[in-house]
Amino acid sequence: QDRSALHPKLVIQQGHSSQVGAFAFSQDGELLATGGEDWSVKTWKVRTGELLYSLPIDGSWHFNLAFSPDSKALAVFIRSGKAQIRNARTGALLRTLNCGSEPGGIAFSPDNTTLACGDVGGSITLWNYHTGQHLHSIKAHVGAGGVGVVAFSHDGRIVASSEGDHSFGKPVVELWNVAAGTQIAEIQPQGEIDSFAFSPDGKTLAIGAGIWIGEKSALELWNLQKREMRQRLLGHKFNIVCITFSKDSRRILSGDS
């Protein structure tokens, strides 16, 4: 047994010269990609803290990061509306996808075939990221501040999206059929949406419903079949920015700002 895993060491990196605004772990847990307001993306070895590479970004810190499910590719969605697909270990540019306007959410499908890019113009573009083939585009949240967060269901059949600007009416999560590009349903949580996640069993959508005046943030659990909220968990004092389920769908880990 590797006893180092029982006694983890804190590693503090000083690699960015300004605030870190984006980060992502690879699925195998070996790599960490960080994006800073110094207009750079850096990828690190998690175990040792070694910097593998640093990439300059085109004059902006506004971008999103995501690793592919097989941990071999890193997607960097930059302000120009382009998604750079890079070798996760070396940083080498594999291809560039023209996704539209400024970046919103970005996500890989669980079967490692498709990349979804949501932009501030309100579109979700779906790509075969291996070949660069554009599959189709979905018009989502048009006139509602664009797309803020996107996520695939674990069977890859549904992609969910939320609006990028919370000042446009009531918050809503839209569910879309990936193959057809058609809307399945709308879900309206009781607060601003900063994050959401599908349970592995496909039965539940967990939504981080942010603070409204006089209220605390809540983790809302929605029954996907009935489109009904079945539970509202209080405890966070600030907006919930990350959510993940255990593999058996019985536990949820959430973090706030």
Side-chain angles (χ1 to χ4, degrees):
Q1 185 180 4
D2 182 4
R3 299 192 63 81
S4 64
L6 303 178
H7 303 283
K9 295 181 179 179
L10 175 64
V11 178
I12 300 177
Q13 289 298 347
Q14 303 292 340
H16 288 280
S17 61
S18 187
Q19 180 176 334
V20 175
F23 68 92
F25 282 97
S26 61
Q27 295 292 319
D28 59 13
E30 294 183 1
L31 303 178
L32 170 66
T34 57
E37 293 185 9
D38 56 1
W39 301 351
S40 71
V41 170
K42 301 178 186 293
T43 296
W44 317 80
K45 284 187 177 180
V46 172
R47 181 176 289 274
T48 65
E50 175 190 353
L51 175 64
L52 293 179
Y53 55 85
S54 181
L55 306 170
I57 299 301
D58 64 343
S60 173
W61 58 268
H62 185 195
F63 50 85
N64 282 324
L65 307 170
F67 281 98
S68 60
D70 63 2
S71 301
K72 293 181 179 180
L74 172 67
V76 184
F77 194 5
I78 61 179
R79 186 171 185 175
S80 62
K82 296 179 180 179
Q84 299 176 350
I85 307 300
R86 294 184 174 271
N87 182 300
R89 260 68 183 177
T90 67
L93 182 64
L94 302 176
R95 61 190 49 84
T96 300
L97 309 176
N98 294 311
C99 295
S101 58
E102 291 186 34
I106 187 169
F108 285 92
S109 62
D111 65 1
N112 198 36
T113 61
T114 306
L115 180 70
C117 303
D119 64 40
V120 298
S123 294
I124 303 171
T125 51
L126 300 172
W127 303 81
N128 181 325
Y129 82 92
H130 296 285
T131 65
Q133 178 188 3
H134 176 239
L135 302 176
H136 54 263
S137 296
I138 297 170
K139 287 294 183 181
H141 308 283
V142 177
V147 179
V149 183
V150 293
F152 282 93
S153 60
H154 282 258
D155 61 8
R157 297 180 179 179
I158 299 173
V159 64
S161 62
S162 68
E163 78 279 8
D165 189 331
H166 304 311
S167 62
F168 289 83
K170 291 185 177 181
V172 62
V173 175
E174 297 178 348
L175 305 179
W176 302 88
N177 181 299
V178 171
T182 55
Q183 189 179 89
I184 300 171
E186 283 189 354
I187 291 175
Q188 293 187 350
Q190 299 176 23
E192 298 178 355
I193 306 163
D194 288 295
S195 59
F196 51 78
F198 288 92
S199 62
D201 62 12
K203 296 179 180 179
T204 304
L205 182 69
I207 302 174
I211 297 173
W212 280 3
I213 297 174
E215 292 189 9
K216 294 182 179 180
S217 290
L219 184 64
E220 296 184 1
L221 304 182
W222 287 77
N223 182 307
L224 284 172
Q225 184 175 8
K226 297 181 179 180
R227 319 291 189 222
E228 296 177 349
M229 182 170 64
R230 61 180 178 84
Q231 203 167 2
R232 197 165 190 265
L233 307 176
L234 299 174
H236 287 281
K237 295 181 179 180
F238 301 95
N239 287 22
I240 299 170
V241 295
C242 54
I243 303 169
T244 187
F245 280 86
S246 60
K247 291 183 178 180
D248 62 5
S249 301
R250 298 177 64 184
R251 294 177 175 84
I252 308 173
L253 179 66
S254 58
D256 64 39
S257 59

